[in-house]
Amino acid sequence: MTSILVPQLGNEITEAEVTEWLVGEGDEVKEGDLVVVITTTKMAMEIEAPASGKLTKLSAEEGDLVEVGAVLGEIG
Amino acid sequence: MPKEIPVEPAAALARAKVTFSDIPVCDYDEPIAEERERRGDANLREILRHMLLVREFETMLASYKSTGAYRGIEFAYKGPAHLSIGQEGAAVGAALALSPDDHIFGSHRSHGEFIAKGLSAIATLDETALDAIMDEHQHGALRDTVKAHLGGDGKVLAENFLLLGVLAEIFMRANGFNGGMGGSMHAFFPPFGAYPNNALVSGSSAIATGAALYKKLADKPGIAVANIGDGATGCGVTWEAMNFAAMAQYDTLWSDPRGGRPPVLFFCNNNFYGMGGQTSGETMGWERLSRLGAGVNPEQMHAETVDGTNPLAVADAVARKRELLLEGKGPALLDVQCYRSTGHSTTDANAYRSRDELKAWAEHDPIVKFAATLTAAGVMSEAEVDAMRESVGDTIGAVTRAAVDPAIAPIVDVPNDPTLIGDLMFNHEAIDLPEAEVPVLKPPAQVANFKSIGRKARFGLDDEGRPLSGMRAITLRDGLTEAVLHHMLHDESLIAYGEDVREWGGAYGVYRGLSDIFPHQRLFNAPISEAAIVSTAVGYAMEGGRALVELMYTDFLGRAGDEVFNQMAKWQGMSAGQLKVPVVLRLSVGSKYGAQHSQDWSAFVTHVPGLKVVYPATPYDAKGLLASALSSNDPVVFFESQRIYDQVEVFRAEGVPSEYFRIPLGQPDIKRLGNDVTVLTIGPSLYPAMAAAEELATQGIETEVIDARTLVPFDYDPVLSSVKKTGHLVVVTEAAERGSFAMTLSANVARFGFSDLKAPPRVLGSPNWIVPGAEMESTFFPQAHDIVDLVTTEFFPARRANRRGVRSWDDIDLARRAL
Ligand SMILES: Cc1ncc(C[n+]2csc(CCOP(=O)(O)OP(=O)(O)O)c2C)c(N)n1
Ligand SMILES: [Mg+2]
């Protein structure tokens, strides 16, 4: 099981908003696929799948605010 | 969203050749018999008459400059006279191919183009249309004057109207076409399609490009012509404008109904010289000016070199380019060779060219050659040519006699109305926005950034008074975004552009989400051409549009210096209020990146008359003031500090309204009440001032903090009332102190509040040296402790606190050391 995490976003940024999921729960993803877009006050960022497999769980919904390091979803 | 056009390595790296097509040089070869057939003899005679009128008009000016008299009429003309004697073939030939809907933008040497364009418009327009034009201008006053003193009916009256209007303008008289505010180098008259001439070499290139952009987007008839010289090809803005007009995105990305590229013709009056610098052989490397087009786009700008000594060759070339432009295939470039036989100005000693050269070109004088062609072909006799010359002389004589007479062409009466000129600088109008929304690609409610803004708190403090993060509450950036969104949605004439404004949403995200809503023709990425960005906006606005443009950093203002300081700022005044320039220029003030990316240059723009200047510091003010700026019919420079884009609203408990609202320009805002000292802040200095006020309160000193919000206009009353109460003033700014707007504010309060002041007012700004890097910034930009230090040591020495800042220097000593 691999977690999709909110990455470090620069010195002053501690949180981001989940803007858009590009895949849904249960979808198969390949490592490197774009899975979710998050937005900080400064920029929008596309997050890639850290591993191949099935997206077993979405831990944050569109519109949620998430902290740096938080889990966005799990790939099983 | 990523780019729609992929950059393919296979295509980029494949072996190939870039090829160019041949550039025609002096290719016109039409027998005069054909021209007679096509145009008719009467029209050919008119071409000669128009050239003679231009020649005689300028001969008159030359005579005033050299002898103080013309045809026995004495007059001391003190203004400039950049004459185009020898170049009439270009001016009259071009005008022949243009319609009144085609708009020409000229240079310092454009009397001829103006007169030729006017004569051609008069020839084209019917008498009803001419009557309407003369009736509308100055409510018919100039027409009545012309009727009374020069006479004439129909087209003759219109020609006298044209000649007196332009000559009175050159003499800077009240009934000149531009109320005497333009003069020789700036005269214009839009109803005939003669748009502003420009004293800045190449000033017209980007303005004409912006005008053409308006014609394209508003689907107006005609083309725009940038009349520039050969020397102007050395100006950066010329290249910027040509590229701006040739951008590929018009074809690849835009979806405006008309399609194609802006219809602009770069018409280079190539007289082979700047003032004394020789373009072919000395100051430029092009060898043939028409070669330039090949560097701009695959069509090579359809460039050609034309024999400008023959008006028919010029008319032929302009007509062909015009057609291409109207098909959306612009821009076009013409290298029109037309030797200037008199000096650059009347003080020109002609030291840079030989008698032989002048003599050789005299044989190619356009009037001599064309008269010879017409007489040889039997279109007119030599006697008829002489009679025409005489009649033209009489016309110019009569017009001149009228123009020198203050009873007919009155001197602008400034003594009687001392702020007359000032009153022409601004119209102070604000537009109403229609209720209806323009068509969009996607409704804002479906766009991520606007969904996210929609979820945020409108006030930036939580129940315990702690600030929320910019992810949870509306920021200054969001306030700006909301104002821009509303105007873009309700005002289709508004276009927004600058570097990286689409996918990036502007370098600081103010336009984030807007590229999902608005097509490229409303919001587009401009080339890295700061001069063209500003001047195209000016041209776009002059024609009737509205533009919101930006420079990524205020530090890049120098790259658009002429465009902001001479073009954006001055055309309302120089047109005596006839032109409106509704342009908002956003300037972002940087931080952390050192000396060339962190400067508050508000002093430059406040110094130049003709610009309104805004610098908000809170989300509420940013939204309301940007809405006012975007509604304004005057040009506005709008400063934003990068350090506070994420600032939430902490002052207004009701929060930032999600509805649209405006805050009038010119009203400083009291952000905190206090009785002991007034701190007036500019831009982000508000926040250190608030922090200082909190700290001073613990020492029993109550600070009134006033946020200037707008610098031009500025209402001093709230500040003077405050000083009446406190007796102390500090003005805080992030600009370098020397010459700053804070110094102006301080000097005026010293003057008008002198009797209320207990100590001289102080300015606390940045020191007069380079902005250092991020880690040194707190020693540079005024900090809360610097304000506390100043207030306690200078205003309340009895309550002296320990000094914590580094500002223990002696300003008098620094000044001696150039600091
Ligand atoms: C930006 C700018 N630089 C310099 C000048 C001074 N100046 C006025 S006319 C001129 C020569 C311009 O040459 P060109 O573009 O060939 O036009 P011409 O005078 O030959 O018609 C110069 C240098 C100016 N008016 N504006
Ligand atoms: Mg020249």
Side-chain angles (χ1 to χ4, degrees):
Chain A
M1 179 110 86
T2 312
S3 304
I4 306 171
L5 301 177
V6 179
Q8 273 294 336
L9 299 161
N11 288 341
E12 292 149 27
I13 296 172
T14 58
E15 58 183 353
E17 186 192 70
V18 178
T19 309
E20 191 182 2
W21 278 102
L22 305 171
V23 290
E25 217 165 67
D27 287 357
E28 286 290 336
V29 297
K30 276 210 293 299
E31 185 177 338
D33 282 356
L34 300 181
V35 289
V36 57
V37 180
I38 63 170
T39 310
T40 70
T41 54
K42 298 239 176 343
M43 62 192 157
M45 197 175 198
E46 291 168 329
I47 308 231
E48 296 177 0
S52 301
K54 188 175 177 151
L55 192 67
T56 52
K57 186 169 168 226
L58 296 189
S59 322
E61 284 178 39
E62 290 184 7
D64 283 358
L65 292 180
V66 287
E67 304 261 315
V68 168
V71 176
L72 291 164
E74 306 281 0
I75 297 172
Chain B
M1 232 199 316
K3 292 285 182 194
E4 290 148 59
I5 307 166
V7 180
E8 303 281 6
L13 302 177
R15 181 170 216 154
K17 264 195 190 107
V18 175
T19 55
F20 296 90
S21 41
D22 289 348
I23 301 169
V25 174
C26 300
D27 209 26
Y28 173 82
D29 190 22
E30 200 71 11
I32 185 69
E34 300 267 330
E35 293 279 12
R36 290 180 72 177
E37 184 80 26
R38 181 181 329 151
R39 299 181 191 274
D41 286 356
N43 287 326
L44 293 178
R45 285 191 291 270
E46 279 296 275
I47 295 174
L48 181 65
R49 191 174 69 88
H50 290 183
M51 289 199 289
L52 285 169
L53 275 166
V54 171
R55 170 75 53 97
E56 188 61 24
F57 187 94
E58 292 206 313
T59 303
M60 172 266 295
L61 290 175
S63 180
Y64 278 122
K65 293 305 282 189
S66 56
T67 69
Y70 164 75
R71 292 186 160 225
I73 311 160
E74 290 187 8
F75 180 60
Y77 171 54
K78 301 185 182 123
H82 301 104
L83 307 179
S84 60
I85 291 178
Q87 304 184 196
E88 297 87 348
V92 172
L96 196 59
L98 297 174
S99 90
D101 290 329
D102 298 322
H103 296 170
I104 60 168
F105 294 79
S107 74
H108 56 286
R109 197 181 306 288
S110 285
H111 303 145
E113 291 148 17
F114 183 148
I115 294 170
K117 183 70 164 68
L119 292 170
S120 139
I122 291 167
T124 311
L125 292 166
D126 63 33
E127 289 188 15
T128 324
L130 289 170
D131 280 346
I133 288 169
M134 291 190 283
D135 208 47
E136 198 181 317
H137 182 69
Q138 299 170 0
H139 307 291
L142 179 61
R143 188 243 355 251
D144 295 344
T145 302
V146 171
K147 236 190 167 111
H149 297 280
L150 295 168
D153 280 314
K155 303 218 171 191
V156 176
L157 177 70
E159 287 193 0
N160 284 334
F161 170 89
L162 168 74
L163 294 167
L164 185 63
V166 67
L167 186 55
E169 185 55 41
I170 290 171
F171 292 166
M172 299 186 107
R173 294 295 176 78
N175 60 354
F177 274 140
N178 316 115
M181 296 298 123
S184 161
M185 294 194 282
H186 312 114
F188 64 98
F189 188 61
F192 291 158
Y195 273 67
N197 294 329
N198 212 303
L200 274 294
V201 170
S202 195
S204 283
S205 55
I207 292 181
T209 301
L213 183 61
Y214 181 77
K215 283 181 177 292
K216 164 183 161 62
L217 288 180
D219 200 15
K220 298 282 180 192
I223 66 168
V225 182
N227 280 315
I228 56 175
D230 50 312
T233 60
C235 299
V237 69
T238 307
W239 295 81
E240 291 192 9
M242 292 193 303
N243 176 67
F244 194 102
M247 289 190 291
Q249 64 177 306
Y250 301 121
D251 295 324
T252 55
L253 300 171
W254 290 33
S255 58
D256 55 305
R258 173 146 139 192
R261 289 166 243 145
V264 57
L265 169 62
F266 293 84
F267 186 99
C268 296
N269 289 281
N270 181 1
N271 56 17
F272 308 93
Y273 292 94
M275 283 172 59
Q278 201 171 38
T279 45
S280 64
E282 184 184 16
T283 61
M284 300 302 294
W286 32 248
E287 189 250 352
R288 282 280 180 189
L289 195 159
S290 50
R291 191 191 301 277
L292 293 187
V296 173
N297 67 358
E299 291 92 329
Q300 305 188 180
M301 294 180 76
H302 315 284
E304 284 182 38
T305 294
V306 180
D307 174 3
T309 69
N310 180 355
L312 296 174
V314 178
D316 163 71
V318 171
R320 285 184 289 109
K321 302 306 156 190
R322 183 175 183 273
E323 224 153 87
L324 289 167
L325 295 177
L326 292 176
E327 288 166 20
K329 296 180 182 154
L333 172 69
L334 284 177
D335 164 21
V336 184
Q337 303 182 124
C338 48
Y339 196 78
R340 151 168 74 69
S341 54
T342 53
H344 155 75
S345 64
T346 42
T347 53
D348 181 348
N350 262 323
Y352 50 88
R353 38 187 196 178
S354 69
R355 276 182 178 281
D356 287 347
E357 182 180 299
L358 285 162
K359 246 195 249 155
W361 278 97
E363 286 172 30
H364 294 277
D365 182 285
I367 292 177
V368 173
K369 276 209 303 199
F370 196 63
T373 304
L374 295 189
T375 48
V379 177
M380 60 197 297
S381 68
E382 273 174 36
E384 283 171 321
V385 172
D386 290 342
M388 185 182 270
R389 262 182 217 283
E390 206 156 301
S391 142
V392 160
D394 290 343
T395 299
I396 299 298
V399 168
T400 306
R401 202 164 289 114
V404 300
D405 183 350
I408 300 174
I411 292 164
V412 179
D413 195 357
V414 177
N416 184 48
D417 182 0
T419 64
L420 179 156
I421 300 171
D423 294 338
L424 299 171
M425 301 298 290
F426 297 106
N427 52 58
H428 301 296
E429 293 169 6
I431 56 157
D432 292 327
L433 289 179
E435 280 287 311
E437 292 188 0
V438 305
V440 292
L441 301 175
K442 203 178 185 188
Q446 291 172 21
V447 172
N449 188 41
F450 292 99
K451 283 195 232 168
S452 143
I453 289 179
R455 286 189 285 265
K456 289 185 180 184
R458 306 298 303 187
F459 183 49
L461 298 180
D462 68 12
D463 294 343
E464 267 106 64
R466 285 175 312 215
L468 295 168
S469 89
M471 293 302 300
R472 291 165 198 274
I474 294 294
T475 61
L476 186 142
R477 172 191 294 105
D478 298 330
L480 297 172
T481 308
E482 288 186 341
V484 173
L485 173 68
H486 188 90
H487 273 266
M488 290 289 281
L489 278 177
H490 291 270
D491 178 4
E492 199 154 24
S493 73
L494 177 67
I495 56 172
Y497 55 101
E499 291 153 25
D500 312 294
V501 296
R502 272 192 86 86
E503 299 80 7
W504 276 76
Y508 318 102
V510 171
Y511 297 160
R512 195 189 292 156
L514 296 185
S515 64
D516 292 338
I517 302 170
F518 300 104
H520 284 81
Q521 60 270 21
R522 298 286 316 284
L523 175 76
F524 61 92
N525 289 337
I528 306 168
S529 302
E530 285 79 9
I533 288 171
V534 176
S535 254
T536 51
V538 171
Y540 189 82
M542 269 183 191
E543 290 276 350
R546 311 177 69 79
L548 168 61
V549 290
E550 62 170 73
L551 305 186
M552 198 182 282
Y553 278 83
T554 302
D555 310 72
F556 309 156
L557 182 59
R559 282 283 177 94
D562 173 54
E563 290 67 26
V564 176
F565 302 144
N566 280 314
Q567 310 303 340
M568 183 175 165
K570 293 191 181 148
W571 280 109
Q572 295 196 153
M574 289 200 293
S575 69
Q578 293 170 54
L579 291 174
K580 292 186 179 133
V581 184
V583 172
V584 177
L585 172 63
R586 293 180 47 233
L587 294 181
S588 185
V589 182
S591 159
K592 297 185 204 145
Y593 288 10
Q596 295 178 331
H597 271 63
S598 310
Q599 301 166 93
D600 171 343
W601 273 354
S602 51
F604 289 155
V605 285
T606 54
H607 180 69
V608 176
L611 298 168
K612 291 186 172 176
V613 185
V614 186
Y615 199 170
T618 69
Y620 175 74
D621 291 343
K623 180 171 177 180
L625 289 166
L626 186 54
S628 287
L630 289 169
S631 332
S632 164
N633 273 343
D634 290 316
V636 181
V637 177
F638 199 93
F639 283 92
E640 300 161 16
S641 164
Q642 287 169 28
R643 208 172 309 117
I644 56 172
Y645 276 128
D646 286 337
Q647 174 66 46
V648 296
E649 178 60 47
V650 296
F651 292 98
R652 204 173 174 274
E654 310 90 299
V656 183
S658 47
E659 305 77 44
Y660 176 79
F661 64 96
R662 296 178 189 173
I663 297 172
L665 304 184
Q667 294 300 311
D669 186 46
I670 299 173
K671 291 287 197 296
R672 186 185 197 280
L673 288 167
N675 286 326
D676 301 321
V677 59
T678 304
V679 177
L680 173 59
T681 64
I682 294 176
S685 298
L686 171 64
Y687 296 96
M690 290 300 296
E694 291 302 313
E695 190 179 332
L696 287 166
T698 64
Q699 300 178 34
I701 299 169
E702 284 304 331
T703 308
E704 183 139 306
V705 179
I706 306 181
D707 175 0
R709 299 201 296 189
T710 303
L711 308 183
V712 183
F714 189 83
D715 180 3
Y716 279 88
D717 281 347
V719 183
L720 292 170
S721 306
S722 176
V723 165
K724 201 178 205 58
K725 184 169 66 171
T726 64
H728 293 291
L729 176 72
V730 190
V731 190
V732 189
T733 178
E734 296 201 333
E737 275 179 20
R738 187 174 58 226
S740 64
F741 192 69
M743 284 292 188
T744 300
L745 291 170
S746 162
N748 278 332
V749 174
R751 178 178 165 205
F752 295 108
F754 188 68
S755 57
D756 297 318
L757 285 164
K758 298 177 190 144
R762 273 296 311 268
V763 168
L764 180 62
S766 295
N768 301 312
W769 47 79
I770 55 168
V771 185
E775 289 170 344
M776 291 175 274
E777 273 189 357
S778 63
T779 67
F780 185 82
F781 295 124
Q783 308 290 307
H785 59 242
D786 295 318
I787 300 170
V788 173
D789 284 354
L790 189 155
V791 169
T792 50
T793 54
E794 301 204 9
F795 297 155
F796 301 98
R799 277 182 265 185
R800 179 174 198 129
N802 280 334
R803 190 178 255 290
R804 283 158 302 161
V806 296
R807 294 163 184 264
S808 50
W809 52 67
D810 171 353
D811 283 324
I812 298 283
D813 176 54
L814 290 184
R816 215 178 278 125
R817 295 196 278 135
L819 299 171

